[in-house]
Amino acid sequence: MKKSAWISGGVLFVTVVFFIPEQAGSLWASVIFGTVAALAYLLIFAGSWLKEITSRGKRRTITVTLAVLGLTTIASLLLWSHQSEWQRDLLTEIRSTIEKGLATQLINEPLFQTFRDYYRSPEVDPDMERLFRSRYHARIGAGNELEFGSLGKDHTLHLYLETAVSDTIMIVGESGYLAGRDPTFQNHSGKSGLYQVQGTVTREGVRYERVN
Amino acid sequence: MNVSTKTYRWLPWAAAGVIALAVILADTYFRTRWLQVNPAQNAHRVTTMIAIDAFQDGVPANDPYWTERARALAGILLFFVIGPSLWIFSEIRNHTKPRQTGDEILKKGADWYLGVTVICFALLLLIPQTVIHGVIMPNSRESAQKNRDKDLIRSDLSALGYKAAETYYLPQELGGGSGSFKTVAAGPEGKLRPVELEDIAGVIDHSAYTYLLAPITSDSVLTIYGIGEWTGEDPHFENANGERGRIQLAVKVLPETDIIYYDRSREN
């Protein structure tokens, strides 16, 4: 009866501690809490009952085996948690790189095409707005948002034709995924604090900069 | 006539170890995944799923992941509470019995076998995974770092390519080449010379890498190299800057046609 009480008590104690952290999202807090509670139970349990075994050899075997188990578990927790954190950060970095790369590519390319059309045109002082619209009119949607198929469905990057006049074209890019430098920055869409870049083409060239 | 019976005291341990191994192999072969109770592995799986959701949708999921939670808790309870408790209690009970010999050595009781099998299972599961993980992780990180460097170099090469194409078209009176890479007007005097890296380097974001232009032999084609710090696929590859084996990417700038494309033949 006493032995059942120990095992039942240990199970209950570890289970309660396991469920102390928030039970949503990451599992690491629960696993660490539960493992610490279980190791504490094991230490108390072994300390209370091992002395009932009079054979020194047997006690040593049990102690060494449980020590190996405990140390391996701690090493496993450290390695896996380290890798989890690294992998999560890596995926975040890859996503950021893709988002920034897409913004650069999708803004620079149409602006450069307009720049090239400007200097290839036989006219003396071509109209940049006309050149841009003649090539990209099909991509200009509601609210002057530029639509590119490469963005895919449910994309988080939004590009807007901000300025289109005879000597200047400006495209603004805003990311719904990346945070900007200034959380109070007012973005083009009306939201605030998001990553925003802009590209401008004039007859002097293309300038691309991050504004937030 | 005395018949002495040999006593193999390791036999019950071997039996428990074989049972544990058989269970692991059966679970692997039949892919039941019932025994994926390594707490750390389950926590890692959840973190990966959350990171993938954030990657795809931009927002991390906040689900409870009950299956993984149950598996992790089961692992903790089995490895540290139930297994050791059954083992120690059964050792205490067996210890009060007369010393066993011969065939009786295997008669340890079901609770002993259950406890020791759980311990053997835990050690057979955790030790190889931990060792392999310790070996594989540094290699994974190095590979990821190399890919990261390539991505950043690619990003800079793209910016350099567009800037070079711009310089190509820009009139000489504005410091460009008026349709040529060979006759760019440089400096306050506007002296004509081939385009140089300093004409376009203002767009480089990652100065830790080395960028250089190939010798200019054509009016309308320019090759730009980006060289990283890590070793590339071929350690004997001859880099454009005279070094050997480093990561290298190359972009060809053709302002009249494709604008820029990546030259894989000069990549390491």
Side-chain angles (χ1 to χ4, degrees):
Chain A
M1 187 60 194
K2 198 175 175 187
K3 293 172 184 175
S4 305
W6 265 96
I7 296 176
S8 307
V11 168
L12 187 64
F13 169 64
V14 171
T15 305
V16 165
V17 173
F18 183 89
F19 283 106
I20 286 175
E22 189 190 353
Q23 298 299 300
S26 172
L27 193 45
W28 280 110
S30 290
V31 164
I32 290 167
F33 271 54
T35 304
V36 168
L39 287 173
Y41 164 84
L42 196 54
L43 277 171
I44 296 168
F45 176 82
S48 304
W49 288 98
L50 268 185
K51 53 183 180 268
E52 300 282 322
I53 303 171
T54 52
S55 161
R56 200 192 300 174
K58 267 216 163 58
R59 283 202 310 271
R60 196 182 309 133
T61 302
I62 292 170
T63 306
V64 167
T65 306
L66 295 181
V68 167
L69 181 62
L71 290 170
T72 309
T73 302
I74 291 168
S76 176
L77 280 176
L78 286 171
L79 281 171
W80 281 104
S81 69
H82 208 49
Q83 187 181 5
S84 281
E85 202 180 304
W86 171 77
Q87 196 168 284
R88 184 200 58 217
D89 292 344
L90 180 68
L91 281 172
T92 305
E93 194 182 331
I94 291 172
R95 183 74 165 81
S96 300
T97 303
I98 289 173
E99 191 91 334
K100 287 178 183 174
L102 265 179
T104 308
Q105 177 73 19
L106 293 176
I107 289 176
N108 270 316
E109 211 218 322
L111 294 181
F112 176 77
Q113 291 281 12
T114 306
F115 181 81
R116 182 165 75 170
D117 290 343
Y118 180 87
Y119 280 106
R120 277 174 160 182
S121 171
E123 296 170 35
V124 171
D125 190 15
D127 186 318
M128 275 202 170
E129 182 186 359
R130 181 178 52 76
L131 291 171
F132 181 87
R133 288 188 189 278
S134 68
R135 200 183 264 275
Y136 297 105
H137 67 275
R139 295 197 187 278
I140 304 171
N144 271 347
E145 183 166 354
L146 297 170
E147 286 146 21
F148 293 94
S150 53
L151 283 172
K153 208 176 125 190
D154 301 328
H155 56 89
T156 53
L157 181 66
H158 298 274
L159 304 169
Y160 303 94
L161 181 61
E162 171 77 0
T163 304
V165 294
S166 60
D167 60 355
T168 306
I169 305 290
M170 181 193 287
I171 298 175
V172 168
E174 181 187 307
S175 170
Y177 174 78
L178 297 169
R181 291 183 186 127
D182 177 4
T184 62
F185 177 86
Q186 196 68 28
N187 288 105
H188 183 276
S189 62
K191 293 178 185 169
S192 53
L194 300 175
Y195 175 87
Q196 185 165 309
V197 289
Q198 69 188 32
T200 312
V201 64
T202 63
R203 64 183 295 266
E204 275 136 27
V206 177
R207 199 174 78 235
Y208 182 86
E209 58 186 335
R210 178 177 176 176
V211 292
N212 191 40
Chain B
M1 189 165 64
N2 278 334
V3 176
S4 66
T5 313
K6 258 189 142 172
T7 303
Y8 299 101
R9 297 205 174 274
W10 48 264
L11 209 52
W13 279 93
V18 165
I19 295 169
L21 187 61
V23 166
I24 290 172
L25 291 174
D27 181 62
T28 306
Y29 180 79
F30 291 108
R31 297 182 190 177
T32 53
R33 296 179 62 192
W34 293 338
L35 299 176
Q36 288 188 0
V37 291
N38 181 346
Q41 192 180 21
N42 279 288
H44 173 70
R45 189 176 294 129
V46 167
T47 305
T48 302
M49 289 193 281
I50 293 171
I52 290 172
D53 275 337
F55 184 93
Q56 286 174 335
D57 304 329
V59 178
N62 208 31
D63 298 335
Y65 299 101
W66 290 121
T67 305
E68 284 75 17
R69 267 175 216 280
R71 284 199 180 121
L73 178 60
I76 294 170
L77 292 174
L78 280 171
F79 297 167
F80 297 106
V81 178
I82 298 169
S85 302
L86 287 175
W87 179 27
I88 291 173
F89 281 142
S90 57
E91 285 287 357
I92 293 168
R93 181 198 61 230
N94 292 341
H95 204 62
T96 59
K97 289 184 187 171
R99 193 173 171 82
Q100 293 164 313
T101 57
D103 294 341
E104 291 179 350
I105 201 75
L106 287 170
K107 293 177 185 173
K108 294 277 192 186
D111 50 351
W112 187 94
Y113 279 102
L114 186 59
V116 173
T117 301
V118 167
I119 300 288
C120 288
F121 173 74
L123 292 171
L124 286 171
L125 192 68
L126 290 175
I127 292 175
Q129 281 184 357
T130 305
V131 168
I132 290 169
H133 223 66
V135 168
I136 287 175
M137 258 177 65
N139 291 339
S140 300
R141 285 180 189 229
E142 186 179 315
S143 175
Q145 184 62 41
K146 286 183 183 180
N147 285 327
R148 179 180 174 269
D149 276 8
K150 281 187 174 179
D151 286 339
L152 296 177
I153 292 171
R154 209 172 272 123
S155 166
D156 273 347
L157 284 177
S158 177
L160 283 167
Y162 275 110
K163 197 68 191 172
E166 220 180 279
T167 306
Y168 174 90
Y169 279 109
L170 207 59
Q172 283 165 348
E173 57 266 28
L174 291 176
S178 288
S180 171
F181 282 127
K182 283 187 168 179
T183 52
V184 171
E189 293 167 358
K191 190 178 162 188
L192 297 182
R193 57 148 173 76
V195 66
E196 292 178 0
L197 186 66
E198 62 183 49
D199 300 328
I200 59 175
V203 296
I204 293 174
D205 249 345
H206 310 99
S207 55
Y209 309 116
T210 304
Y211 297 98
L212 61 151
L213 308 185
I216 296 166
T217 54
S218 163
D219 275 341
S220 57
V221 180
L222 178 69
T223 301
I224 310 173
Y225 297 106
I227 299 167
E229 291 295 314
W230 290 86
T231 306
E233 285 174 25
D234 178 4
H236 306 293
F237 180 86
E238 197 174 326
N239 291 109
N241 62 350
E243 292 188 73
R244 277 201 179 273
R246 296 206 187 277
I247 285 173
Q248 178 171 297
L249 295 167
V251 74
K252 263 198 163 70
V253 185
L254 301 103
E256 299 287 353
T257 52
D258 304 318
I259 308 175
I260 58 174
Y261 86 90
Y262 288 92
D263 186 356
R264 303 258 184 244
S265 67
R266 292 299 299 150
E267 191 171 305
N268 185 31

